[in-house]
Amino acid sequence: MKIGFIGLGNMGAPMAANLANAGHDLTGFDMADVAVDGVAMAASATEAVQSAEVVITMLPNGQILRAVADEVIPAMTPGAALVDCSTVDVDSARAVAEQAVSAGLLAVDAPVSGGIGGAAAGTLTFMAGGSDAAFSKASPLFDIMGQKAVHCGESGAGQAAKICNNMILGVTMIATCEAFALADKLGLDRQKMFDVVSTSSGYSWTMNAYCPAPGVGPQSPADNGYQPGFASELMLKDLRLSQQAADSADADTPMGQTATALYEQFVEQEGGLGQDFSAMLPRFEKRGRS
Ligand code: NAD
């Protein structure tokens, strides 16, 4: 398949490389001067999408996605699919899809989970929104770049699933970290805390699979000085998107709101920038009640 790929950063580059390795014909474009094995680089986004059957975007945010969409949609071949894998706000995802469909294109919003490791290994999970025809067109490519793709509904449904999942993740990480810090102050051994909680009703992915306490549970960023993993600023980005969506849909999300405020404080004032999102634990360790 002839594929245009726009945004070849930490995630986009390995995703594009996997598609090229699988035998697809890839033309890429990025604002930065990048080179990716097997991908021919174009001089502009418009050039990268010329006669492509599928165009994939992997960009930083909704504003940039809208700008790139304005540029490439008129240059795409009718019937081709625009597949956005970036994490962006639901409103931008829906607006871009509407613009693409009005131009006779298929559109899918398909944010991913699995991070840079998953992108390199081809084990991402895709959460997709769009018509059945659009999802079917992108599906074989999801199978190469990932291990699972869920068709969540119409346009925007992929982004909705992604930010709801990550709102749970942020809230749960904070709850797990504050419970460890409380357990410390109550004199409870961290290993015993893990042994009990990981097999009791407080268990969660953050406790069982990604434990924020070093030396406890399976290997995680906590065992590596809290190097990401999943950086706190990316968690903050997703939490902010969840609150933007909650505002726009008039949904009451007090825990999501609190988690957003805590990660904002952590990233912007407390040195959390560049640290894994589980570094909330050492943050809580240092603090008292007031
Ligand atoms: P990144 O900053 O490494 O890559 C983004 C790329 O887009 C950069 O190479 C940049 O030069 C390029 N770019 C920016 N504006 C452009 C434009 N107008 N035209 C062409 N290229 C442009 O970011 P990333 O980590 O690859 O993340 C990409 C997306 O994936 C984000 O939306 C992010 O939230 C999401 N995501 C990231 C992770 C992760 O672990 N990094 C996990 C899941 C989802």
Side-chain angles (χ1 to χ4, degrees):
M1 207 185 267
K2 191 163 164 33
I3 300 169
F5 206 117
I6 300 172
L8 297 157
N10 289 320
M11 296 290 291
M15 290 164 71
N18 284 336
L19 292 172
N21 276 339
H24 290 291
D25 176 5
L26 269 283
T27 305
F29 175 71
D30 195 291
M31 297 272 279
D33 188 15
V34 294
V36 180
D37 267 356
V39 179
M41 294 305 291
S44 68
T46 321
E47 189 186 314
V49 307
Q50 291 295 330
S51 70
E53 287 166 69
V54 173
V55 171
I56 300 177
T57 47
M58 194 52 170
L59 296 162
N61 59 48
Q63 201 186 341
I64 294 175
L65 170 67
R66 285 179 191 245
V68 167
D70 280 343
E71 199 183 330
V72 300
I73 286 173
M76 286 175 64
T77 315
L82 179 60
V83 180
D84 176 47
C85 295
S86 332
T87 304
V88 303
D89 57 287
V90 176
D91 291 342
S92 292
R94 289 194 174 134
V96 165
E98 205 175 297
Q99 193 180 347
V101 169
S102 311
L105 303 172
L106 298 167
V108 189
D109 56 291
V112 302
S113 89
I116 298 165
T123 55
L124 294 169
T125 296
F126 289 85
M127 316 152 217
S131 66
D132 287 342
F135 181 75
S136 300
K137 178 115 180 171
S139 242
L141 306 182
F142 295 152
D143 291 344
I144 294 165
M145 297 183 285
Q147 60 183 356
K148 191 179 166 89
V150 180
H151 188 190
C152 299
E154 289 303 315
S155 292
Q159 297 294 348
K162 165 88 186 175
I163 56 170
C164 288
N165 180 74
N166 281 18
M167 187 173 81
I168 295 171
L169 179 63
V171 167
T172 314
M173 180 55 85
I174 289 169
T176 304
C177 292
E178 68 181 31
F180 263 119
L182 171 61
D184 288 346
K185 293 203 175 182
L186 297 175
L188 176 60
D189 178 72
R190 285 184 168 182
Q191 184 63 52
K192 302 292 179 204
M193 164 87 171
F194 177 83
D195 291 347
V196 171
V197 175
S198 64
T199 53
S200 299
S201 46
Y203 83 89
S204 64
W205 184 85
T206 57
M207 175 61 84
N208 292 38
Y210 203 93
C211 184
V216 177
Q219 202 51 35
S220 72
D223 301 308
N224 190 25
Y226 295 101
Q227 295 296 307
F230 185 44
S232 295
E233 59 271 24
L234 291 179
M235 183 78 250
L236 176 59
K237 173 190 172 183
D238 293 356
L239 284 167
R240 281 178 169 153
L241 290 176
S242 76
Q243 294 316 290
Q244 195 179 332
D247 276 343
S248 153
D250 190 27
D252 188 22
T253 56
M255 304 300 285
Q257 202 168 7
T258 303
T260 308
L262 274 170
Y263 272 104
E264 193 167 278
Q265 195 177 323
F266 185 49
V267 168
E268 292 178 356
Q269 295 161 37
E270 297 171 344
L273 184 72
Q275 294 205 54
D276 188 72
F277 83 121
S278 60
M280 269 287 163
L281 175 53
R283 175 200 180 269
F284 277 113
E285 274 167 24
K286 293 188 211 105
R287 299 171 66 93
R289 192 128 183 93
S290 56

